[in-house]
Amino acid sequence: MAAQPSSDQLPDLRIGYGQDCHRLESGYQLVLGGVPIEFEMGLAGHSDADVLLHAITDALLGAAGLGDIGEMFPNTEERWKGADSRDLLAAAFEEVQQAGWQIVNLDCTISAERPKLVSYKPLIRESIARILKVETEQINVKAKTGERVGPVGRQEAMTADAVVLLTK
């Protein structure tokens, strides 16, 4: 049986995965990836409920071994009520960088029955790249529907998933 390589023989790469879900409700502004989206409903949550930036934050923190968004920004603390998720992501990424990690690439998927997001994807991609201070080419954003199945398909919620590759 071959011996496992020691940690100093492995490449300094880490993969992180993040996922988030928020309810769609009237009376809220819809913000995805830091971009305001024209729609009759928005996402409800303790902060601005930017489901995409929350998933990205979790992916980054997970890859760096720094916990998750709920640990860093608990929804039980009043100071995070209504917080701009761009600020939360920037603060989390600062911690990731202080731990010595940099982004290789980030791939994201937003699941929403409506609105159609194809025209917003370039803006969302640029917004994320700005927040993380990386090239736009390092970011990919996809949008999927729920095919009228489940909470996303019934327009009760939106979800987002993110996968990030970090290097030291």
Side-chain angles (χ1 to χ4, degrees), residues 75-92:
N75 65 4
T76 56
E77 290 189 22
E78 193 61 27
R79 67 182 169 146
W80 304 124
K81 186 165 181 62
D84 187 325
S85 294
R86 294 175 297 186
D87 297 335
L88 303 181
L89 175 57

Side-chain angles (χ1 to χ4, degrees), residues 9-163:
Q9 294 173 313
L10 295 172
D12 282 338
L13 296 172
R14 297 259 184 100
I15 296 172
Y17 169 75
Q19 189 278 336
D20 198 29
C21 177
H22 283 276
R23 289 180 325 277
L24 270 167
E25 293 185 9
S26 298
Y28 291 90
Q29 180 182 22
L30 179 59
V31 179
L32 295 170
V35 176
I37 308 290
E38 290 295 322
F39 194 54
E40 65 265 15
M41 293 185 287
L43 296 169
H46 188 69
S47 66
D48 64 6
D50 188 327
V51 69
L52 179 57
L53 294 188
H54 293 182
I56 294 168
T57 301
D58 261 349
L60 286 166
L61 291 170
L66 298 173
D68 62 47
I69 192 171
E71 292 172 39
M72 189 171 279
F73 310 106
N75 65 4
T76 56
E77 290 189 22
E78 193 61 27
R79 67 182 169 146
W80 304 124
K81 186 165 181 62
D84 187 325
S85 294
R86 294 175 297 186
D87 297 335
L88 303 181
L89 175 57
F93 187 53
E94 179 65 31
E95 295 292 320
V96 169
Q97 289 178 305
Q98 286 179 10
W101 297 100
Q102 294 298 316
I103 295 172
V104 176
N105 75 304
L106 172 66
D107 187 33
C108 313
T109 304
I110 305 165
S111 296
E113 195 67 25
R114 290 183 43 242
K116 296 298 180 198
L117 298 172
V118 67
S119 64
Y120 289 100
K121 289 190 322 181
L123 295 171
I124 293 169
R125 188 176 177 206
E126 291 169 11
S127 172
I128 295 166
R130 249 189 332 273
I131 296 163
L132 298 174
K133 298 179 177 77
V134 298
E135 298 296 321
T136 309
E137 293 75 24
Q138 292 172 266
I139 310 295
N140 188 55
V141 176
K142 303 180 298 283
K144 306 289 182 195
T145 69
E147 298 293 333
R148 294 185 292 208
V149 176
V152 170
R154 292 188 300 268
Q155 298 179 62
E156 297 168 358
M158 287 186 182
T159 65
D161 299 274
V163 178

